[in-house]
Amino acid sequence: MSTSDAATELGRLLAIMARLRDPQGGCPWDLEQDFSSIAPYTIEEAYEVADAIDRGDLDDLCDELGDLLLQVVFHAQMAQEQGAFAFADVARSINDKMVRRHPHIFADASAGDAAEVLRNWDAIKREERAAKGETDASALAGISRGLPEWQRAMKLQSRAAKVGFDWPGPLPVLDKAAEELQELREEFERGDVAANKLRLQEELGDLLFVCANLARHADLDLGAALRGANHKFERRFRAMEARAGEHGTRLAELGLDAQEALWQHAKAAESAS
């Protein structure tokens, strides 16, 4: 597809969105929406893009990227209606930012490798925040509180590591995870879970934070790891349901021991295949 074709299709999408939001004859559902009501859909579509990538399904990726683009257009249309900004302003903002943050491409700076590109990127971001009058000079400045918490944990840890506050490798992090797991166990052993929820939540948070650190040290995508675990669980659970159905029963009618046997059968079947 040529650049002109892309511009034509984008213009068509903008026109469709404007029509849907037209107070005179627009879509009732679209007209009821605002930034807050659409935000969860925006997040969901971003995750569906990631899921298509995980599955290696490029046809689905094309479709999901379209859904994500619609979210951008939807937000821009609502902002335009309020006189705040329009889609062209969104595009101009990211264009200017990409040029500004790649001086080794669009100016006379140099960057020998990807690591240097990232260092320059971070330095330029700090300059941009300072130019906006932001006074937070912390190494942790600028990390969005709107991120999924697992992602924010990894960003906090990565920023701290850049000033030397970090474990020397993954094995000490594993030791720390074992320590946090033991502390969580001790809280459960106190007995009254309902009365101890705040402490349990704190200890669980500590354990999850260390797990995020472990993923960072191993250069693993924590979100992809959790998605993989979810997919695995769903796949095996559905296999359990199917196996139970083959024997003329429903999973809910079986005791835990029988369900565990079906789980082990599902695992063995996966290994065999």
Side-chain angles (χ1 to χ4, degrees):
M1 180 178 287
S2 67
T3 302
S4 61
D5 288 338
T8 298
E9 291 301 329
L10 181 56
R12 182 176 172 223
L13 177 58
L14 291 167
I16 289 171
M17 191 70 252
R19 179 72 181 87
L20 292 173
R21 290 280 297 182
D22 187 345
Q24 303 300 319
C27 172
W29 185 88
D30 290 275
L31 286 167
E32 287 181 356
Q33 306 312 307
D34 57 25
F35 295 116
S36 295
S37 67
I38 290 298
Y41 295 102
T42 307
I43 295 169
E44 179 180 342
E45 296 300 349
Y47 275 110
E48 291 184 359
V49 166
D51 177 61
I53 293 170
D54 283 347
R55 291 183 282 105
D57 189 336
L58 294 184
D59 289 336
D60 198 28
L61 177 59
C62 178
D63 189 56
E64 296 299 348
L65 285 171
D67 291 344
L68 185 58
L69 177 59
L70 174 63
Q71 298 300 307
V72 177
V73 169
F74 206 141
H75 285 288
Q77 174 64 33
M78 291 186 291
Q80 181 174 337
E81 292 164 5
Q82 297 180 18
F85 59 82
F87 182 84
D89 300 300
V90 175
R92 184 181 304 109
S93 176
I94 189 58
N95 286 337
D96 291 347
K97 183 184 294 183
M98 293 301 288
V99 170
R100 189 169 62 248
R101 294 188 182 177
H102 290 81
H104 55 290
I105 301 297
F106 301 107
D108 55 2
S110 61
D113 55 25
E116 188 172 359
V117 170
L118 290 178
R119 286 194 295 271
N120 291 343
W121 180 283
D122 287 339
I124 293 168
K125 285 181 66 175
R126 288 194 296 272
E127 292 170 1
E128 290 170 353
R129 289 197 297 269
K132 291 179 179 179
E134 296 182 18
T135 58
D136 188 351
S138 169
L140 306 180
I143 298 177
S144 172
R145 293 184 179 274
L147 292 170
E149 294 302 336
W150 63 264
Q151 189 173 6
R152 189 162 188 267
M154 295 187 74
K155 283 185 174 290
L156 289 167
Q157 294 160 3
S158 180
R159 289 283 190 87
K162 289 179 180 179
V163 298
F165 188 68
D166 197 11
W167 298 99
L171 293 181
V173 185
L174 275 173
D175 292 338
K176 183 63 176 176
E179 176 187 327
E180 295 295 350
L181 182 59
Q182 179 58 32
E183 291 180 3
L184 181 59
R185 176 184 293 276
E186 291 171 0
E187 290 299 330
F188 273 110
E189 288 174 347
R190 294 181 188 275
D192 192 346
V193 173
N196 202 27
K197 273 195 170 182
L198 289 179
R199 284 292 299 160
L200 285 169
Q201 182 167 290
E202 180 180 349
E203 295 297 345
L204 179 60
D206 290 345
L207 177 60
L208 293 174
F209 191 81
V210 175
C211 287
N213 216 338
L214 183 61
R216 182 182 63 84
H217 268 278
D219 194 24
L220 299 174
D221 184 332
L222 183 57
L226 188 54
R227 281 195 298 275
N230 287 339
H231 292 327
K232 183 192 300 182
F233 178 84
E234 181 178 8
R235 185 173 62 247
R236 292 177 179 175
F237 189 86
R238 288 179 180 274
M240 291 168 61
E241 291 177 317
R243 181 76 172 175
E246 290 171 3
H247 290 82
T249 187
R250 294 185 301 113
L251 198 59
E253 297 170 349
L254 300 175
L256 185 56
D257 288 344
Q259 290 182 346
E260 175 63 20
L262 289 176
W263 176 265
Q264 294 302 326
H265 182 275
K267 285 181 63 176
E270 281 190 0
S271 298
S273 63

